[in-house]
């Protein structure tokens, strides 16, 4: 009797086999890129789907005051693991804050957000390596200068924003300008600002995200306090819903949720979203 024939597969065949299997459901490539850019920044994705949404009107006093005391202390570095659907390790996210103080100058914070795809997601879908940095006035927590370097596959894009609060205008690196409404932040600053909002039970706050040339109006709503397990640790948190407001509608299509600790640091220990192509979890390590 002859020896059984064992079929060998190289890495390429393994990937191809998994893609063709019934266990694999791949979203369109174009929908993956907003995942890494928005999810990693805490706003996940901001696609419009109004059909199932109820009308929503902003109150007259829509611009609530932002608490200006920073819950982070001097220097802070937080590492996160990003999982998506059945991919336990889809990406990595790092949030970093450094306090910079020079004689004769205002104290500022340098905020950084870095996100990259890893493992099978990097192989199967897209090589993502993004970096966002912002200089923020330590007293007002208003952004001064923001820069972004986005690497998606073979494409590299670099942009910057200069915030002129005195003249209420944002100056983009392509020479264009945008009106600067109150509570408007770049992507790196926004994830830190969400930690400073006064959000009591069922309270809401309006903030705005300036991402490249587009301004998104976001509504942060405290839903409840609860206990969540992240890794091997339990945290007491406030669960905050992040929804986009557009054309008078408040949408919760992706069910974006931010979980902030109840202590004075208000650390985001968990961020989640539920797009049609698989649940996303961003967990503190």
């Amino acid at each position: 009797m002859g020896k059984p024939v064992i079929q060998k597969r190289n890495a390429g065949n393994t990937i191809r086999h998994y893609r063709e299997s019934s266990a694999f459901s791949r979203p369109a490539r174009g929908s993956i890129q907003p995942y890494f850019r928005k999810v990693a920044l805490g706003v996940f994705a901001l696609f419009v789907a109004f059909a199932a949404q109820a009308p929503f009107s902003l109150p007259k006093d829509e611009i609530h005051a932002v608490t200006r005391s920073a819950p982070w202390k001097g220097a802070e570095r937080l590492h996160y693991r990003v999982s998506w659907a059945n991919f336990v390790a889809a990406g990595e996210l790092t949030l970093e804050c450094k306090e910079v103080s020079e004689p004769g100058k205002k104290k500022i914070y340098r905020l950084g957000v870095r996100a990259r795809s890893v493992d099978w997601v990097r192989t199967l879908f897209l090589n993502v390596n993004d970096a966002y940095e912002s200089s923020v006035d330590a007293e007002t927590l208003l952004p001064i200068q923001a820069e972004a370097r986005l690497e998606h596959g073979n494409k590299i894009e670099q942009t910057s924003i200069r915030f002129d609060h005195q003249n209420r205008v944002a100056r983009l690196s392509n020479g264009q300008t945008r009106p600067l409404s109150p509570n408007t932040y770049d992507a790196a600053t926004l994830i830190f600002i969400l930690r400073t909002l006064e959000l009591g039970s069922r309270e809401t706050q309006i903030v705005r995200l300036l991402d490249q040339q587009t301004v998104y109006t976001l509504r942060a709503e405290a839903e409840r306090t609860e206990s969540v397990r992240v890794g091997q640790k339990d945290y007491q948190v406030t669960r905050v819903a992040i929804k986009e407001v557009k054309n008078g509608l408040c949408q919760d299509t992706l069910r974006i949720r931010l979980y902030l600790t109840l202590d004075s640091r208000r650390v985001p220990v968990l961020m989640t979203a539920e797009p049609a192509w698989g649940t996303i979890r961003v967990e503190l390590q």
Side-chain angles (χ1 to χ4, degrees):
M1 180 181 294
K3 294 182 179 180
V5 177
I6 299 176
Q7 183 178 4
K8 296 182 178 180
R9 284 193 181 122
N10 57 29
N13 288 335
T14 300
I15 294 172
R16 198 159 42 248
H17 172 75
Y18 180 69
R19 282 176 169 170
E20 294 170 354
S21 71
S22 59
F24 178 71
S25 177
R26 172 178 177 165
R29 188 179 185 87
S31 65
I32 281 293
Q33 294 190 23
Y35 150 60
F36 287 108
R37 294 193 54 200
K38 306 274 189 222
V39 175
L41 295 168
V43 292
F44 302 95
L46 294 170
F47 293 142
V48 178
F50 295 114
Q53 302 302 317
F56 172 77
S57 298
L58 290 173
K60 293 181 179 179
D61 59 338
E62 61 146 354
I63 305 301
H64 294 270
V66 174
T67 301
R68 297 303 179 185
S69 58
W72 51 88
K73 301 298 182 183
E76 182 180 76
R77 188 178 180 89
L78 303 173
H79 297 277
Y80 297 83
R81 180 186 67 186
V82 182
S83 62
W84 159 52
N86 292 325
F87 294 97
V88 176
E92 295 175 348
L93 173 68
T94 301
L95 306 181
E96 187 172 13
C97 172
K98 294 181 180 179
E99 184 179 302
V100 179
S101 181
E102 298 180 9
K105 294 184 179 180
K106 284 187 176 182
K107 183 173 67 175
I108 65 172
Y109 291 119
R110 296 208 185 277
L111 309 179
V113 177
R114 289 171 176 78
R116 69 185 190 98
S117 54
V118 299
D119 297 343
W120 287 102
V121 170
R122 190 181 188 93
T123 303
L124 290 170
F125 300 107
L126 192 63
N127 173 20
V128 171
N129 190 7
D130 291 351
Y132 297 79
E133 294 184 351
S134 179
S135 297
V136 175
D137 186 300
E139 182 178 350
T140 65
L141 298 187
L142 292 175
I144 302 168
Q145 175 83 19
E147 298 179 350
R149 184 185 185 278
L150 313 179
E151 181 180 343
H152 296 168
N154 296 324
K155 181 181 178 181
I156 297 178
E157 182 181 5
Q158 292 182 289
T159 61
S160 66
I161 306 171
R162 181 73 181 178
F163 291 85
D164 184 348
H165 296 284
Q166 183 174 356
N167 295 306
R168 297 185 180 182
V169 65
R171 307 185 189 281
L172 311 182
S173 54
N174 62 5
Q176 296 185 19
T177 61
R178 291 291 182 273
L180 193 55
S181 300
N183 296 348
T184 298
Y185 306 94
D186 61 282
T189 306
L190 179 63
I191 189 64
F192 287 88
I193 285 296
L194 290 172
R195 297 167 60 181
T196 73
L197 300 181
E198 284 290 352
L199 290 170
S201 178
R202 308 303 297 180
E203 278 193 271
T204 64
Q205 294 272 10
I206 297 295
V207 293
R208 292 173 177 81
L209 166 65
L210 175 55
D211 182 32
Q212 296 187 7
Q213 301 181 43
T214 305
V215 178
Y216 300 96
T217 299
L218 306 177
R219 181 175 183 243
E221 175 185 330
E223 294 185 316
R224 68 186 187 192
T225 59
E226 59 182 289
S227 177
V228 296
R229 173 160 285 248
V230 178
Q232 300 300 314
K233 188 173 181 180
D234 292 318
Y235 296 90
Q236 294 299 312
V237 299
T238 300
R239 189 179 75 184
V240 181
I242 308 296
K243 307 174 184 180
E244 186 186 10
V245 179
K246 189 174 182 180
N247 295 340
L249 298 173
C250 184
Q251 58 177 348
D252 194 23
T253 309
L254 299 180
R255 291 194 56 78
I256 300 168
R257 297 296 182 270
L258 177 66
Y259 297 77
L260 301 174
T261 57
L262 293 178
D263 59 18
S264 60
R265 292 183 62 199
R266 306 186 73 180
V267 175
V269 296
L270 176 65
M271 295 172 273
T272 63
E274 299 178 15
W277 34 271
T279 299
I280 297 162
R281 289 175 64 87
V282 183
E283 301 180 75
L284 181 67
Q285 296 297 285

